[in-house]
Amino acid sequence: MNEKVLRVLEFQKIIATLSDCASSAPGKQLCKDLKPSCDLDKITKEQTETADALTRLFQKGSISFSGNKNITSFVRALEIGSVLSASELLMIANALECANHIKSYGRSERDDAPADSLTEYFNTLEPLTPLSNEIRRCILSEDEICDDASSNLKHIRRSMVQINDKIHTQLTNMVNRSYRTYLQDAVITMRDNRYCIPVKSEYKSQVSGIVHDQSSTGSTLFIEPAAVVELNNQLKELSIREKEEIEIILAGLSVQAADYIDEITTNQSILSALDFIFAKAKLAMDQNATQPIFNEDHYINIRKGRHPLLDKKKVVPIDVNLGRDFDLLIVTGPNTGGKTVSLKTVGLFTLMGQSGLHIPALDRSELSVFTEVFADIGDEQSIEQSLSTFSSHMTNIVSVLTHSDSNSLCLFDELCAGTDPTEGSALAIAILRYLHDRGIRTMATTHYSELKVFALATPFVENACQEFDVASLRPTYRLLIGIPGKSNAFAISSKLGLPDDIISSAKEEISAEDESFEDVLADLEISRKTIENERLEIASYKEEIEKLKKQLTVKQERLDQSKDKILREANEQARDILQEAKDVADEAIRNFHKHGSTLSVKEMENARQKVRSKISEKNDKLVIKSSTTGSSDRKPVKLKLGDSVRILSMGLKGTVSSLPDARGNLFVQCGIIRSQTKLDDVVLIDDDDITKKLPGRASSGRMKMSKAATISTEINLLGMTVDEALSTLDKYMDDAYLSHLPSVRVVHGKGTGALRKAVQTYLRKVKYVDSFRLGEFGEGDAGVTIVTFKK
């Protein structure tokens, strides 16, 4: 790819932004060296790597390669057997630790996760953890080696500490006692790495030793007392031995590192490549870019593309296609309308895509591979353009025509401008026809009306324009393909206040053909706007229909689910009713077989009445009664406790057990159920509707339905046989449980214990009994069983 197009399209600014996304020096260098490729396989591979890296960034977050330093020179030193310094070994340890961190980042959380294009990179990394740990163990920092790096170094440093202590002890005694009056200051100092004391010059003969230095005034001499000369000599020898031992330690670490030269070199190469790939992914994330689809048919289809160097919040996306229905696109429109930006967007997207970078456009945008991209673009336009400017542009055009072929993409901004309009338009048409005949994909901007006519009259050549809002005198920056643009000079001048007579005079200077052509363009623009508005309206209707369709589907699904739920609950209730009926029938049959002929007619009638009562109770619960009532139903005006009412929504009858509160809520006792309802949901009824004649009785007594209010917490079974006691107990337990009593007391006496044993055997089989126990002292002892119900 020629360097001129990279400069003209500002590709280097993209590279600079990409370099900022890399976190290591080698990765930044790879970014700076990036150039567009013409190999489709390579482009596809790099695009896939960028897409996979972007997926990992979304899944796992950002990653840093800052530990990846340029250690090439260190590796070469190891190859020739050199000893690395502490700082150089630490850089190798940093690189190995970075490799370990990156390898962990690349490891998949699931064993069955499919591999992507980056998996091989991560798997090839060798962290060499033992080597990095050994370097960290021996080297604490660039200037400090650990005492435990070797036993010899530890022994030397221990000896140095001991000698230091001895020197300090002796010098401290001298400073504070014997030599105190001879000293300039009571301090211990160092000169030439040897311990000294500051002695006044007049007392130098009083302190025997070696003079190492004197003050600038000469009043103070720094003397090493003779008493510590030998100790200082020993300390110097130990310091030399320490350096020698450190060199041995560094040499040993260098030898260990030299055994892994290939792995270290491979690690740096992979870390740099991954940093480069993830930098492209970070750039794609910042630009909200997507992976383009490449083809070899020289077809471009950019969907909502945004120029990558403009503010993504302000730039207007454009749709551009070139190469399928037409291979030459001529863009017209007013100045500052966005023609040059559209031209650069197409060229820059091509360069970015062929460099493995994602483009800031909608997904499924398509690009093609071009061996060369040529651009003749001049951003600074003026009415004072000279012949030299025209000559410069023409030189570029000649170069483009010479080197371009069917695999090239050519971009021209203001083709053949800066000269006589008649000659310029003729040259522009000839140049475009030459490119068009050779099948070269070309996009050009112009103000020449002749080029609009050329596009309309030539097959596979298409007009386009940058939309301009005459009402506001502002461009919309939208690129409209298929419609030639207008300069709008008259409309803009009129809006800016140019007198109408001048504008009318100017219009008279335009030929009838040109005016007719401009009128056609105006009609086309009106038709386009009408079609565009209708298209948007249709799209809105489609979106609304789709929304309503989804809502209807969701509603239907909910209805189906509700229907299935109701049928399931109804089947479950029916099954429970049948099971209960079967249990009652089984109990009646057992009693009949057990008692046989000894069972009296009265007892059989009582058993049948019990079955009939249970059936009536179920019917009352299942039958939904009409909300309309007879003439006896009356709306309550002022209720009193004990009034007979009907709950309309439930179809139940009962008596008022509490007066309505401020919100109209009251409680109604319906048999064993105490239900809360609204005042508007009840009507008054006669007492005859809630009470009934007891069958088989001569008297006209009435039985109230509120059993929960009269049930006792104790049952006495004394004097009954086992069968009588169990029958009585069974009915009592049902009533007590339905009345929501927490526990009851069963009195069976002590006696022989037969009744107590039968009662407890029965209680074990009752499902709603949570527990039972014998009474304690004060509760009746063993003559009583305390039963607790389940909640």
Side-chain angles (χ1 to χ4, degrees):
M1 202 69 67
N2 63 88
E3 292 294 331
K4 184 174 186 283
V5 75
L6 300 180
R7 184 184 71 258
V8 170
L9 296 178
E10 301 178 287
F11 183 69
Q12 294 304 322
K13 291 185 178 180
I14 300 294
I15 295 301
T17 307
L18 176 64
S19 300
D20 293 338
C21 295
S23 53
S24 69
K28 290 180 181 292
Q29 189 59 46
L30 288 178
C31 294
K32 293 176 182 178
D33 296 338
L34 180 63
K35 292 289 187 295
S37 172
C38 301
D39 185 350
L40 181 58
D41 293 336
K42 181 181 178 183
I43 294 171
T44 303
K45 176 178 178 294
E46 292 178 351
Q47 287 286 351
T48 303
E49 289 174 347
T50 304
D52 290 340
L54 184 60
T55 300
R56 289 178 181 265
L57 287 179
F58 281 123
Q59 291 177 346
K60 297 185 177 183
S62 61
I63 183 174
S64 174
F65 294 84
S66 58
N68 178 37
K69 306 295 183 181
N70 190 352
I71 57 175
T72 305
S73 59
F74 308 154
V75 174
R76 291 174 182 171
L78 290 175
E79 288 176 344
I80 62 176
S82 299
V83 177
L84 300 183
S85 65
S87 60
E88 293 170 342
L89 287 168
L90 282 177
M91 290 181 69
I92 290 180
N94 285 336
L96 294 177
E97 290 168 353
C98 179
N100 186 39
H101 171 66
I102 299 303
K103 192 177 183 71
S104 299
Y105 177 88
R107 192 175 293 114
S108 177
E109 298 178 356
R110 296 187 295 111
D111 296 335
D112 58 343
D116 58 16
S117 61
L118 303 181
T119 303
E120 185 63 25
Y121 287 100
F122 292 112
N123 292 341
T124 308
L125 287 173
E126 292 292 343
L128 302 178
T129 305
L131 176 59
S132 62
N133 289 342
E134 181 64 14
I135 294 175
R136 290 294 185 188
R137 186 186 70 83
C138 297
I139 305 176
L140 299 179
S141 67
E142 295 181 1
D143 303 318
E144 185 178 2
I145 305 298
C146 180
D147 294 347
D148 294 327
S150 72
S151 58
N152 195 19
L153 180 63
K154 188 173 185 179
H155 175 71
I156 292 172
R157 287 183 172 175
R158 186 183 296 114
S159 301
M160 292 176 69
V161 171
Q162 293 172 355
I163 293 175
N164 262 312
D165 291 342
K166 290 180 182 179
I167 293 173
H168 274 83
T169 300
Q170 292 193 26
L171 292 179
T172 301
N173 289 333
M174 294 178 186
V175 167
N176 294 329
R177 296 178 185 177
S178 55
Y179 294 155
R180 180 67 185 90
T181 57
Y182 308 145
L183 302 182
Q184 193 75 35
D185 293 300
V187 295
I188 300 172
T189 184
M190 292 196 76
R191 289 293 186 276
D192 299 331
N193 292 324
R194 300 181 73 88
Y195 288 100
C196 302
I197 55 177
V199 181
K200 297 177 182 177
S201 58
E202 60 266 25
Y203 295 116
K204 66 178 180 179
S205 60
Q206 302 297 323
V207 180
S208 60
I210 302 172
V211 178
H212 287 280
D213 197 6
Q214 69 176 5
S215 64
S216 59
T217 61
S219 61
T220 303
L221 299 175
F222 296 94
I223 299 177
E224 178 186 0
V228 297
V229 169
E230 182 60 28
L231 291 175
N232 270 333
N233 289 339
Q234 294 178 15
L235 190 62
K236 185 67 174 179
E237 292 175 0
L238 288 173
S239 178
I240 295 173
R241 288 174 57 191
E242 180 189 26
K243 291 181 180 178
E244 292 174 348
E245 184 61 26
I246 289 175
E247 286 296 322
I248 293 173
I249 293 171
L250 294 178
L253 293 174
S254 299
V255 170
Q256 294 183 47
D259 293 336
Y260 300 101
I261 289 178
D262 293 339
E263 289 83 353
I264 293 173
T265 303
T266 303
N267 281 349
Q268 184 182 18
S269 176
I270 293 176
L271 289 175
S272 302
L274 285 174
D275 189 15
F276 172 56
I277 293 170
F278 275 90
K280 293 190 290 184
K282 290 176 183 176
L283 180 65
M285 180 180 289
D286 293 340
Q287 295 180 340
N288 194 22
T290 61
Q291 179 180 359
I293 301 172
F294 272 86
N295 62 78
E296 293 182 305
D297 301 326
H298 300 154
Y299 170 60
I300 295 175
N301 181 28
I302 298 173
R303 304 173 62 245
K304 302 300 180 185
R306 307 178 307 278
H307 194 286
L309 298 179
L310 299 179
D311 188 349
K312 63 182 180 181
K313 295 181 179 178
K314 297 180 180 179
V315 63
V316 178
I318 61 172
D319 295 323
V320 184
N321 64 84
L322 174 67
R324 177 169 291 178
D325 299 325
F326 49 88
D327 53 29
L328 174 56
L329 184 63
I330 299 176
V331 183
T332 53
N335 288 327
T336 69
K339 298 191 303 296
T340 304
V341 171
S342 298
L343 203 66
K344 284 188 171 183
T345 300
V346 174
L348 198 51
F349 275 19
T350 300
L351 298 180
M352 290 176 64
Q354 292 186 209
S355 301
L357 300 174
H358 285 4
I359 59 174
L362 290 184
D363 58 343
R364 292 181 287 107
S365 292
E366 296 184 59
L367 297 176
S368 184
V369 179
F370 294 99
T371 56
E372 279 291 354
V373 177
F374 298 99
D376 179 54
I377 299 175
D379 290 328
E380 297 181 4
Q381 302 174 14
S382 171
I383 60 172
E384 298 175 351
Q385 291 177 351
S386 63
L387 181 62
S388 60
T389 301
F390 173 76
S391 299
S392 175
H393 281 290
M394 187 54 62
T395 301
N396 293 334
I397 293 171
V398 171
S399 176
V400 171
L401 297 179
T402 303
H403 297 95
S404 61
D405 56 23
S406 60
N407 294 318
S408 302
L409 173 65
C410 298
L411 307 172
F412 298 101
D413 188 27
E414 302 295 347
L415 181 61
C416 294
T419 186
D420 179 75
T422 303
E423 294 180 356
S425 61
L427 275 174
I429 291 174
I431 292 170
L432 292 178
R433 181 179 286 115
Y434 174 81
L435 294 171
H436 175 57
D437 292 342
R438 296 174 64 189
I440 299 174
R441 303 299 186 262
T442 306
M443 184 173 176
T445 67
T446 184
H447 284 287
Y448 294 141
S449 296
E450 291 81 357
L451 267 65
K452 305 174 189 177
V453 178
F454 168 71
L456 291 173
T458 307
F460 302 105
V461 179
E462 188 61 85
N463 270 307
C465 69
Q466 296 292 149
E467 188 179 43
F468 189 86
D469 187 358
V470 180
S472 62
L473 296 181
R474 289 183 179 180
T476 64
Y477 302 107
R478 294 176 58 200
L479 180 64
L480 306 176
I481 294 179
I483 300 175
K486 291 181 61 179
S487 64
N488 296 300
F490 293 155
I492 294 174
S493 301
S494 176
K495 284 284 186 180
L496 293 176
L498 190 68
D500 293 339
D501 55 344
I502 296 178
I503 295 176
S504 299
S505 176
K507 288 182 178 180
E508 292 175 358
E509 298 296 327
I510 299 177
S511 65
E513 294 179 358
D514 291 337
E515 187 174 0
S516 176
F517 182 70
E518 290 296 323
D519 292 339
V520 170
L521 293 182
D523 293 339
L524 284 174
E525 179 66 11
I526 294 173
S527 300
R528 183 198 64 78
K529 289 185 176 181
T530 303
I531 294 172
E532 180 71 11
N533 292 333
E534 291 178 353
R535 186 189 65 81
L536 293 175
E537 188 176 0
I538 292 172
S540 175
Y541 287 150
K542 285 184 177 180
E543 183 178 357
E544 186 176 358
I545 290 172
E546 188 66 25
K547 183 178 179 181
L548 292 174
K549 182 179 178 182
K550 290 181 179 179
Q551 292 177 351
L552 183 61
T553 302
V554 172
K555 185 176 181 180
Q556 186 62 41
E557 289 177 354
R558 289 179 179 174
L559 287 174
D560 293 342
Q561 292 175 358
S562 177
K563 176 182 177 182
D564 294 339
K565 182 179 179 182
I566 293 172
L567 290 175
R568 185 172 61 255
E569 292 178 351
N571 290 330
E572 291 175 356
Q573 290 179 0
R575 183 191 60 196
D576 294 341
I577 293 171
L578 291 174
Q579 183 63 39
E580 186 173 355
K582 180 178 178 300
D583 293 341
V584 173
D586 291 343
E587 181 183 2
I589 293 173
R590 283 196 303 271
N591 290 335
F592 180 79
H593 287 297
K594 180 176 181 180
H595 297 284
S597 59
T598 60
L599 192 65
S600 65
V601 175
K602 181 179 179 180
E603 291 174 342
M604 293 179 64
E605 182 63 26
N606 289 336
R608 187 171 65 177
Q609 183 62 33
K610 287 172 60 179
V611 174
R612 186 182 295 111
S613 299
K614 287 187 177 181
I615 293 175
S616 299
E617 183 180 353
K618 291 295 180 183
N619 288 336
D620 291 340
K621 290 181 178 180
L622 293 177
V623 174
I624 302 176
K625 299 186 177 181
S626 172
S627 59
T628 58
T629 59
S631 58
S632 60
D633 294 342
R634 305 181 304 280
K635 283 290 181 181
V637 179
K638 187 175 182 180
L639 291 176
K640 302 187 297 296
L641 294 178
D643 283 349
S644 299
V645 295
R646 184 197 305 276
I647 302 176
L648 299 177
S649 61
M650 301 174 64
L652 297 178
K653 304 174 185 177
T655 56
V656 177
S657 60
S658 71
L659 294 178
D661 57 15
R663 297 181 179 180
N665 296 325
L666 71 154
F667 285 93
V668 177
Q669 190 71 40
C670 303
I672 60 173
I673 300 175
R674 190 168 184 257
S675 176
Q676 183 181 19
T677 185
K678 291 281 188 180
L679 181 62
D680 296 338
D681 196 31
V682 298
V683 293
L684 287 169
I685 58 175
D686 296 332
D687 285 346
D688 292 340
D689 293 335
I690 198 169
T691 58
K692 57 182 178 179
K693 299 264 185 162
L694 292 179
R697 297 283 186 93
S699 65
S700 60
R702 300 177 181 272
M703 180 181 67
K704 291 289 183 180
M705 301 294 289
S706 56
K707 183 176 293 183
T710 59
I711 191 71
S712 173
T713 58
E714 177 183 302
I715 183 172
N716 191 344
L717 304 178
L718 295 177
M720 299 183 184
T721 63
V722 171
D723 293 335
E724 293 173 347
L726 291 181
S727 177
T728 304
L729 179 61
D730 180 69
K731 183 177 183 305
Y732 170 78
M733 291 292 290
D734 289 340
D735 293 340
Y737 177 70
L738 292 175
S739 299
H740 303 290
L741 296 179
S743 62
V744 294
R745 184 167 179 265
V746 181
V747 180
H748 45 65
K750 298 180 180 178
T752 61
L755 185 56
R756 179 181 68 243
K757 183 177 180 180
V759 168
Q760 294 182 352
T761 300
Y762 163 79
L763 292 175
R764 289 189 184 95
K765 299 178 181 179
V766 180
K767 295 182 179 179
Y768 49 79
V769 171
D770 185 41
S771 63
F772 60 90
R773 60 178 175 81
L774 291 176
E776 297 177 353
F777 179 76
E779 291 180 332
D781 296 326
V784 172
T785 295
I786 306 299
V787 182
T788 303
F789 295 107
K790 291 181 179 179
K791 294 182 180 180

